[in-house]
Amino acid sequence: MSQEIPYKIYLSEDEIPTQWYNLRADMKKKPAPLVNPATLKPLTAEELSVVFCKELVEQELDENTAFVDIPEEIRNFYKMYRPSPVVRAYCLEKYLDTPAEIYYKFEGNNTSGSHKLNSAIAQAYYAKKQGLKGVTTETGAGQWGTALSMASAYLGLDCKVYMVKCSYEQKPFRREVMRTYGATVTPSPSNTTEIGRKILAEFPGTTGSLGCAISEAVEVATSTEGYRYVLGSVLNQVLLHQSVIGLEAKAALDKYGIKPDMIIGCAGGGSNLGGLIAPFMREKLRGENDYRIIAVEPASCPSFTRGKYAYDFCDTGKICPLAKMYTLGSGFIPSASHAGGLRFHGMCPTLSELYDQGMMEAVAVEQTSVFEAATMFARVEGLLPAPESSHAIRVAIDEALKCKKTGEKKKILFGLTGTGYFDLVAYQKYNDGEMGDYIPTDEDIQKGWASMPKVDL
Ligand SMILES: *Cc1c(COP(=O)(O)O)cnc(C)c1O
């Protein structure tokens, strides 16, 4: 096609997908099921329904339906901030002097500042439909809690957020956005739950972890009438909702006949990457097309590149189901000096299985090089990226620079998951030259593994 490619490729409102795509449907070998830690048997819908909303449980367990209708109400909410644009990073290409074409799908164009709203509204919708009073959740960096607060306010649901303590202290403004949307925000570990009190007694002075906060939120959901727990990443249902990112991206690129050679995304629990690659991975799984798919994780929390593929707990309190995933062990707590998000000890089972099958690659990057990329991107492309997103920017830049050496005109698509306005403490550290590159030793990682369940599944 000779058509000039615009800076921004927009779809119209009517082109927002009407269905989500379930990646598992096209996987011959499916991801391993969630397992009950007491019986070591796959969890049933009944067991899961104690913790999660009914329709979300169905989505969680359904590995065969490829396309799931997006309810009209959710699509209407999507219209407030979607479709999100695919941007051609002309300025970055010019700055790097690369023959590569760089595209990014920008998900930060809503108040929560990230892609998390795509699943938050879906989960809040099903909770409301079930007649629940409220939802509980954890939040690390704060984007998920913000997104869920927004969705809950929109639908009139109560929202209780357990926020990892170091982040609660570092990001008071994030907390205020959540409170403005009506959520209750508690720093975790807290003395409001049994598990929180136990963790505090065992590790006084701990700055918390996502795993701890999950335990507290689940405890509150299961012990409070009319409440369920919702999770912003890792689960299959979240990947399903996030497929809206990839479906839109592919539709936009298809308009101009652009086929990316590689697709790059940051990976915390794996939801944005799972969503971005969904329709591309579909073609790859069906043998229709090939793409290089690259997950980027922090060197300080390297679940793919240094983790084990095994059943593990999803939370520190060990009350959640076991999931088979690439993991550092639920007892692994990344260094508090790590500022860049993506702190979860494991990776979602679907991406873990695809990685194990060799369908995708992973690289770990150090945080100062991530902030270097973030700063370069902010200066030439104008957007201040979230530190998490900047992991993907780092590798997109590295790949574009490889093309400069070889002269290859590769087409690179990466996910720009959010904006970094609430991460200025991290930017400040970087600007002051006070940011370090903490990389766990093999011993640290062995310690994390020691916390894994002693089961052979
Ligand atoms: C939560 C978050 C991530 C990482 O989560 P995934 O589930 O791996 O997508 C990445 N970027 C931003 C901006 C986030 O808020």
Side-chain angles (χ1 to χ4, degrees), residues 114-116 143 232-233 266-273 342 386 388-389 417-418:
S114 82
H115 65 282
K116 298 243 173 32
Q143 289 95 327
S233 185
C266 62
S271 75
N272 86 82
L273 180 62
L342 312 174
E388 293 90 339
S389 323
T417 50

Side-chain angles (χ1 to χ4, degrees), residues 23-35:
L23 192 47
R24 288 171 293 166
D26 284 291
M27 290 171 69
K28 285 198 189 77
K29 183 165 176 251
K30 309 285 184 195
L34 296 173
V35 157

Side-chain angles (χ1 to χ4, degrees), residues 76-97:
N76 285 340
F77 185 87
Y78 280 168
K79 285 178 189 168
M80 291 200 282
Y81 68 102
R82 310 198 69 81
S84 73
V86 167
V87 185
R88 171 82 183 265
Y90 279 117
C91 302
L92 182 61
E93 289 170 17
K94 192 166 165 223
Y95 180 79
L96 296 173
D97 190 24

